Structure formats: C-alpha cells, structure tokens
Amino acid sequence: MTKHKEELDLIRNIGFVAHIDAGKTTTTERALFYAGRTYKLGEVDAGTTITDWMQQERERGITITSAATSCHWQNHQINIIDTPGHIDFTVEVERSLKVLDGVVVIFCGVGGVEPQSETVWRQADKYHIPRIAFVNKLDRAGADFDGVVREMGEKLLNVIAPVQIPYYEEDTLIGIIDLIRMKLITCEDESGTKLRTGEIPESRKEQVMKHREFLLEKLAELDDEFMHKVLEAAPVGNDEIQHMIREYTLKNKFIPVLCGSALKNKGVQLLLDAICDFLPSPREVGAVTGVVPHQKSPESREASYREPFCALCFKVFTDPFVGKLFYTRVYSGKISSGSTVYNATKQTKERITKIVRMHANKQEYISEAKAGDIVCLVGLKDSTTGDTLCAQNKQILLEEMKFPEPVVSVAIEPQTKADEEKLISGLKKLEAEDPSFRVVYNKETGQNVISGMGQLHLEIMVDRLLRDFNVEAKIGKPQVAYKETISKRIQSIGKFVQQTGGKGQYGHVVFVMEPLPKGSGIQFESKIKGGIIPKEFIPAVKEGVMEAGESGILGGFPLVDVKATLIDGSSHDVDSTELSFKIAAEIGFKDGLKKAGPVILEPIMNLEAVTPTEYLSQIIADLNSRRGHIKNIGDRKKVKVLKADVPLREMFNYADVLRNLTQGRASYTIEPSYYEKVPDEILTKILGI
C-alpha cells in the first residue's frame, strides 16, 4: 500500500448531530481537549466553548452555524463539524451531511429519542451515511440507558446494539464497561485524561453478559457465518467482533451504541477510539459520482491524490477580516494556494488566493489541500453554496445540493431611511451565506420580505444585521399578495373627449372583457378592421389596458386572468392622439371591471406535512380550521405524509402551531400553487367592510 493510501486511510470526516441540548457542543469540546487541540475545557453555559463562537450562540447557549475543526487521535486526523440542533437551522445539518463520511448521533440519556433526533436520523438515512450513536448525560438523575436503546430500536428502524454500557455505584456514574473487550474503564482524575482499565466486578458480570449476548445476536442477524458460531456457542474473539461491527457499520446496516457523560468527562476518549475504529475513511466511502457538463454522461472520481481535482463548496460565510470563506470538501486530487480551478456549476474559472484550515472561527493558513480534506478557500468570486469545483481539463458536475424551502416570512424595513442601502446589502450577504434564507422585494406591497425556517432563524438574521452590518431593522407581518379578476363576460365602452379651445383630445374604444383560465395573466387582442381606429393607436390602447390592470377596483390589487378584446371604437382626424386612446382604454377597462363581477383571489399554497401517525388527526383538524383542503394521505416507513391546499393567509403562524401540535416531531414544506376566489366572509376582513 502506498503512503498516499495510508494517509487517506487515517482521515475521518465526521459530524456531531443531535436534538437541541443533547450535548453536541460539549462533546466536541471534550474531544478537542483530549486530542490536545485545546488546553482548557470550554462550557456552553459559561459561553466559553470553541465551536459556539458567535455572540448569538453564546448568549442563547445554542449552536446556530456549523463549526468546522480538526484534531489528531491515535495517528488519525479527525475533521469534525459540530452542527446545530434547532429545527430552524436544519439546513446547516443538511449541507454538512452532504460532505461528511460518517456521523456521531448524540442522544440525551434522559430525553431519549427526541423529535429533532429523528429528523437528523432521517437526513443521515437520505445520504446513506454510516453512523455511531452516543448516549450522553448519563450522570443526570432520570437517565435510562437501556430505555434510550429500546426507544432507538423502536423509532429509528435500524439494527442497533450497545458496544458499551454505563457502570454506576449508588446512582453515580463511575465508568464504562466495554462489551467487546469485557473490561471496566474508569478515570483516575476528574478531567478524565488518565484512564484505568480493570476487571468487571463479579456482582455485575451476569448483567454484562446479557448485554454482550444481545450484541452478538444483533451481529448474527446480519451474517450467516457469524450466526452459526453464535448458535453453536463457538468462541468468538474480540478482533472478530470488532471487525464485524466495522464491516456492517460501514455498510450502514448496524449502529453501535456508546455511552458516557461529556460534561463529566466520561466516555469521550472511547468515542474518539470508536470514530477511528468504526467510521469510514474517505477511501472506504468510495468514488464520488456526477456527470460531465453539457454531455450529461456519468463521471466519477476516486478518493485519491492522483485523480483530477474535484471538490464541492458546501457553505459560504462572510468573515469581517478575511472576507468570504468558501467551506469546501475536496474529494480527489489536490490544489495549492494561488492556483486556478474551474467552477463547473457556473462555468467560470476561479482563482484561489489562500487555503485555510478552520478551527471554529480561527484560521490556519496551509499551502495545499488534497483529497479527504475539509478546508476554506479564499478569493473565489462567483462561487456559491453547492457549486462543484474541478480541473478544467477533466470536468465533473456533482449532484446539486437540495435545501428545504423557507416556511416563515416577515416584512423588514430599516429604522431610518439612511439605512436602506445598508439593509439591502446586508440582506444580500446573509442570503448568499444561507440557502434557506430568502429576500424578496414585493412591488405590490412595497415591502422587502425575508423568509426563513422559523421565527428564531429570522430573529438571528435580524440580530446579525445589527451586529455584523450595523443596520437597525424592524420586522412585521407581511401582507398577503392578493389578486383581482372578473367572473363574467361583458362589453364596455371607454371614451375620452376633451376640448380646450385649440387642439382637443379624442379617444373612443369598445371592449369585450372575459375571464380566462387560472394563470393566464392579462391578455389584449385587437379585432379592429377597416381602420376604424388607426393602427398606430392600437399599441397605446394595449398600454392603457395593461396599466389599468395593475390595480383593481375592489382593493387595488393587480388583475389576473382577464382578456380585453378591442372590437370597435372611433377616432378624430385632428384630435385623436396616442395619449387620448391610452386614457380611453383605461376608462373602458375600469368601467368593464365594475360590470364584470369583480372578485378577489388569494394565493393557495401546496403543503406537504410529514408526521408520526399519532398526530395525524390533530393536524387534519387544524388544517380544516385553516380552510385547508386535504388532497392525499400516504405512508412512508413509520410516518404519514399529508398533502393539502391551504390559503397563505392562514399559514403565517403554522410552523409554531405544528411544533406545538406534534411536540416538534412533524415537519412540512410549502410552496405557491394557484390563486382562488376569496370567500365572502374573508373578503369583508380584507376590505375592512
């Protein structure tokens, strides 16, 4: 085996994922401490952690942005991404999982399999990522390791078994029992840096053997040869068990469960051992696949330094000192600072001025990056999240990253007129960083509307505007963008005659106005024959119709799905002008609206909710109260998938309501579908009558 392959075999790209407050950041801090990357133990509650470095994170005690760091353990380089646990920042988890080779899913020993635990588990399933589970906080009152493992087996639909169990003396967590080596591991000091390996007390051996037998039974379910050994009670060596766990963890068929208390410095070193022992190196993950741009023929890259360069930019972050940092996973080949790469997504060349290895918000400049590395590139101009970077002479386009659609929107405006430009600039920078954050100017309401994954997400963005860009902004509820249309076919006349002593104005048009199918917009057609209206005035008539259609007569909302056909009219040889026909068209169009049964239309959203079965009836009842129309209810593993059409007006607080209804265990996506007539009782509220 070559030196290059050996180096790749010793790399682990892993992430810590979990429900909020399960202890991801504390576990990351302990891992960095034991690996010698840091020299003191950071605490979330004290705001002294390395990876929660943003002011907003330290104030709230939660992780908001994924932090990348790295350390060395047992000759392995471990690149770690600590991800957020709050559902509002799920996009941070999504894009991290896209580029990781393995994950550690952390569970609270008291809370068990919490809602967001299931969400991140499903995300890991989607990307087929090997994982190990770590049951944390086993020092707390009410912790139940066996109960959490049972719940994992019931809810997560994987073959799961502990490879360690906690060891208590009088309800105090003393150490951890290794079920592979059948040893008790305890700490010699409070910080947990010195471990002592000893024998399992006789009083616990029977209980420990039951757990070991359970582990062997679960492995036997996966391998016929191993099953024969277990059934025949043949001796099974520790190395063989270790090999089986590794083999089936890499195949994503088995999840080993570890345990401990990161806060009390127990179990984290054993977790680092397990990361090296059970999770894959970049080479073991296999080739990354994509297509050749333009040709769309399949293309792949092996994890090797000798292959052509290929990488994925999975995150963009604006650093106040360095500028834009492009978080990048290198899959093959290598690059050096000062080199030029090809952006296959944007089809442009990009020059790399610097390469940085991140340690949370601290940077270490390095001369080159190679296969298996997760680094930040500096100097790119056109690249954004999800772009493929490659060698220009060997192009490949990797599968694009898909992000959930924003579900909560609010209007935003600066506190002062002077801040308007700074606000737009700041919003655009935040939008470039976060694919789940959108900024749209609604010309119909005159508002800038920001959209995100939830109320906390938008709060953080507004807070960042103030701290990072020095812009004070206020937010409010956005107005629904209603439309107007007509309900019957009519004929209308528009006449504009004005005599002012000299040259006058004369325009006269006759329209047939009729409703059109949904999505047709405003259409104009001229059926004038014989020059009743000179053809040079027809464009002015059309312009008058289009301008009149910008605001209806009920609530001043834009018109849609209306056709105006010019069938007759008259002109004056001297007084007729383009302006007079434009005004006549506006008069005729507005007059027609009054007679054609005007109605207000509201946007209807297409909603898809994924929920555990037990909450389905509550969700349906709530949607019915929101004037929702249930279209379909399907099954997906142990969850129900509900599809419905719901008016946007009724959806502004839905994210919070859904969380409350389902204890946060349901998720949903929403997108515009069509416009529908507003019921009369809602019409009176809109128009205030």
Side-chain angles (χ1 to χ4, degrees), residues 44-60:
V44 172
D45 292 343
T48 56
T49 57
I50 299 292
T51 54
D52 279 359
W53 57 269
M54 288 174 70
Q55 198 64 39
Q56 294 91 337
E57 294 176 313
R58 293 188 166 180
E59 287 172 359
R60 291 169 170 82

Side-chain angles (χ1 to χ4, degrees), residues 66 120 161 168 174 199 265 416 435 463 468 477 568 612 636 673:
S66 298
V120 295
Y168 292 94
I174 300 297
E199 298 303 316
N265 312 316
T416 65
D463 195 32
D468 298 358
K477 194 173 177 180
D568 202 359
R636 188 187 298 162
S673 184

Side-chain angles (χ1 to χ4, degrees), residues 272-430:
L272 286 168
D273 288 341
I275 288 168
C276 300
D277 291 342
F278 302 138
L279 292 179
S281 69
R283 202 165 59 83
E284 287 166 315
V285 173
V288 64
T289 57
V291 295
V292 178
H294 308 303
Q295 299 172 21
K296 301 301 177 192
S297 54
E299 185 77 0
S300 64
R301 294 281 184 275
E302 296 290 339
S304 164
Y305 307 149
R306 293 192 177 88
E307 286 270 295
F309 172 70
C310 166
L312 182 73
C313 173
F314 66 96
K315 176 176 173 174
V316 181
F317 193 82
T318 305
D319 183 278
F321 305 107
V322 182
K324 278 189 178 178
L325 293 167
F326 297 84
Y327 284 74
T328 304
R329 164 70 195 263
V330 183
Y331 288 104
S332 64
K334 52 187 175 182
I335 43 159
S336 54
S337 54
S339 60
T340 300
V341 296
Y342 186 72
N343 183 323
T345 311
K346 300 285 194 306
Q347 297 175 27
T348 57
K349 288 182 183 178
E350 290 276 36
R351 187 168 181 276
I352 298 162
T353 56
K354 295 187 183 87
I355 303 174
V356 175
R357 196 181 297 287
M358 297 301 292
H359 182 45
N361 62 330
K362 296 181 173 61
Q363 296 136 16
E364 171 195 335
Y365 291 102
I366 56 177
S367 59
E368 71 170 8
K370 45 196 179 183
D373 281 343
I374 293 177
V375 294
C376 279
L377 305 180
V378 181
L380 308 185
K381 296 282 187 272
D382 300 315
S383 299
T384 52
T385 299
D387 285 2
T388 302
L389 304 174
C390 62
Q392 188 168 5
N393 61 344
K394 287 289 284 183
Q395 292 180 24
I396 182 173
L397 184 60
L398 302 178
E399 182 188 10
E400 65 180 88
M401 298 173 76
K402 294 180 176 66
F403 298 107
E405 285 297 310
V407 292
V408 176
S409 302
V410 292
I412 186 166
E413 56 185 60
Q415 293 277 25
T416 65
K417 194 76 178 165
D419 276 345
E420 197 156 343
E421 265 186 50
K422 280 164 68 180
L423 173 70
I424 300 301
S425 170
L427 288 174
K428 289 298 178 191
K429 285 178 182 171
L430 293 174

